[in-house]
Amino acid sequence: MDKTYQPHAIETSWYNTWESENYFAPQGAGESYTIMIPPPNVTGSLHMGHGFNNAIMDALIRFRRMQGRNTLWQPGTDHAGIATQMLVERQLEAQGQNRHDLGRDKFLEKVWEWKDQSGGNISRQIRRLGSSVDWSRERFTMDDGLSEAVKEAFVRLHEDGLIYRGKRLVNWDTKLHTAISDLEVENHDEKGFLWNLKYPLADGAKTAEGNDYLIVATTRPETMLGDSAVAVNPNDERYKALIGKFVELPLVGRRIPIIADDYCDPEFGTGCVKITPAHDFNDYEVGKRHNLPLLNIFDKNANVLPAAQAFNLDGTLNESIDGKIPAEYAGLDRFEARKQIVAAFDTAGLLVSVNDHALKVPKGDRSGTIIEPWLTDQWYVSTKPLAEPAIAAVEDGRIQFVPKQYENMYFSWMRDIQDWCISRQLWWATGFRPGTTSRAKSTSVATKPKYVPSTTSARTSRCSRTTTYSTPGSARACGRSPPSAGPKRPSS
């Protein structure tokens, strides 16, 4: 007998025996009892949270198995769209290639090769935990059946009015070229600058001090090319007489209104704020309150467009706005454009000052690039109808919080909930190709809209959530295709 306990050799040997003898497969004759393991990312490693919830599930499964129930604990992994695509792209970069050199189909072949060769780490770790899962039923969220389940769920939610497509502001990763969620954005404390710029008043208007300009403060002067208004606080006596009048946007020459909004803090800077609804989330909310046009000035790389794309709040084109941008800025990276625009303000005598300023800089948690608020078409889940029964369940006592004061936090979250962006622009994902713009039931499944691979994909977490009902076999009954919404695009 060994002097010391060697758990690795003993546990691995016994686990291999249990697995080879198929002890974890459903065998009981009683009532069915099934748990689908929440699929961990295929690129990752298990952490303490996995160990904790696997232990709980294993205890439940073994208990029901001993009771004679027909018990299944089904394992699987999530395809981890962004993380996996990035990992394979890095491998290609080391070979002097990128995914666009290969094209979509060849790139996906490379991803599957990586998955087959290196994607089993999570499964090995689950075995080392001793989890009594039925490995003969292991699934992967990019399996055909699961992809069908994603499409089926998508269609049903769309028919119920819970999924729609809209042009809204998103966190845009300029390296990965995809929208990402708030949870995937990290805010970094960095030292930056606050530029104070003069915006000339139009039509001979003057301030209470007799100036023929307003001074606005901004940390992103390059976005002034897409300004739609200048906002002041409605109770700020310095500017009350100017509300409803106009300024002439420097460098561009476009007239934009002076509006009153409580968003402006009279105590911060000069009390005047430039409003760029297509490139700032707070400004987007101001724009909605005042029905301002949305002027997108960047492409997917955050390079300046030759002309701004003007939209109304409902996503339709605004053809009444002149979106011209000075030719010297077209094609410039946003930060190079910043330098040149600041220099142009200085040359024109419109740069008042540049002050040090502490910034919260949003960066993608995977790419590390600075996130650009960008106006684009995405799929959304309408969350308020889903929140209403959840709120009611706590209000009527069916669900109780301990300690009770946490109810207030819960109600705050639920009542201020925002619609959830579920689409990503990835190749390694379940793809939906859009057709005609609609919300809810305007697209009938009877028209059989076609499913084909697309750069617009279901969100990774959406795929993982469907595993709970798709893995036991219901996906085989799914055969419908997602609704269409927008012009067809090339698949790569």
Side-chain angles (χ1 to χ4, degrees), residues 130-284:
S131 299
S132 59
V133 298
D134 182 4
W135 289 107
S136 70
R137 296 172 183 251
E138 183 179 10
R139 297 301 299 270
F140 181 56
T141 52
M142 286 288 281
D143 289 347
D144 289 342
L146 273 71
S147 294
E148 288 298 323
V150 172
K151 288 179 276 182
E152 174 68 13
F154 191 94
V155 172
R156 290 186 187 182
L157 290 169
H158 186 272
E159 289 174 335
D160 292 340
L162 293 174
I163 280 183
Y164 66 96
R165 192 168 188 254
K167 187 179 289 292
R168 295 174 54 181
L169 212 57
V170 298
N171 298 306
W172 184 257
D173 191 304
T174 59
K175 180 179 180 181
L176 299 177
H177 292 159
T178 183
I180 63 174
S181 73
D182 291 344
L183 295 177
E184 296 166 308
V185 177
E186 298 175 340
N187 289 302
H188 294 253
D189 292 316
E190 294 187 7
K191 293 179 180 180
F193 300 98
L194 187 70
W195 287 267
N196 291 288
L197 310 173
K198 290 182 181 179
Y199 278 29
L201 290 162
D203 306 319
K206 293 185 182 295
T207 65
E209 292 83 11
N211 296 323
D212 59 357
Y213 56 84
L214 296 177
I215 298 177
V216 301
T218 179
T219 58
R220 301 188 65 206
E222 68 278 11
T223 62
M224 57 80 51
L225 298 173
D227 284 356
S228 293
V230 171
V232 298
N233 190 285
N235 299 314
D236 194 329
E237 295 294 339
R238 295 172 294 176
Y239 307 117
K240 271 189 174 181
L242 295 175
I243 296 170
K245 298 186 183 299
F246 294 84
V247 298
E248 184 173 302
L249 190 60
L251 310 184
V252 178
R254 187 171 61 245
R255 284 164 59 94
I256 59 175
I258 301 170
I259 61 173
D261 196 280
D262 290 330
Y263 168 63
C264 301
D265 180 2
E267 303 301 319
F268 180 78
T270 63
C272 300
V273 180
K274 61 187 282 301
I275 303 298
T276 319
H279 293 286
D280 184 275
F281 289 103
N282 291 323
D283 290 5
Y284 181 74

Side-chain angles (χ1 to χ4, degrees), residues 239-376:
Y239 307 117
K240 271 189 174 181
L242 295 175
I243 296 170
K245 298 186 183 299
F246 294 84
V247 298
E248 184 173 302
L249 190 60
L251 310 184
V252 178
R254 187 171 61 245
R255 284 164 59 94
I256 59 175
I258 301 170
I259 61 173
D261 196 280
D262 290 330
Y263 168 63
C264 301
D265 180 2
E267 303 301 319
F268 180 78
T270 63
C272 300
V273 180
K274 61 187 282 301
I275 303 298
T276 319
H279 293 286
D280 184 275
F281 289 103
N282 291 323
D283 290 5
Y284 181 74
E285 295 302 319
V286 175
K288 287 198 293 186
R289 291 194 289 271
H290 296 272
N291 196 32
L292 295 175
L294 312 173
L295 281 83
N296 174 44
I297 64 169
F298 293 133
D299 64 14
K300 66 180 181 180
N301 300 306
N303 295 334
V304 178
L305 292 167
Q309 300 168 332
F311 298 97
N312 300 308
L313 287 168
D314 62 2
T316 58
L317 284 173
N318 185 324
E319 298 179 353
S320 65
I321 299 292
D322 181 3
K324 71 177 181 180
I325 290 176
E328 59 264 37
Y329 306 125
L332 293 180
D333 168 78
R334 52 185 163 168
F335 301 116
E336 180 58 31
R338 174 183 298 179
K339 294 176 184 177
Q340 296 198 21
I341 286 171
V342 169
F345 267 84
D346 193 17
T347 300
L350 299 175
L351 177 62
V352 178
S353 62
V354 182
N355 304 320
D356 292 335
H357 190 69
L359 299 176
K360 290 279 188 183
V361 179
K363 295 184 178 181
D365 64 351
R366 293 180 177 89
S367 69
T369 57
I370 295 178
I371 296 303
E372 181 63 43
W374 199 49
L375 195 65
T376 183

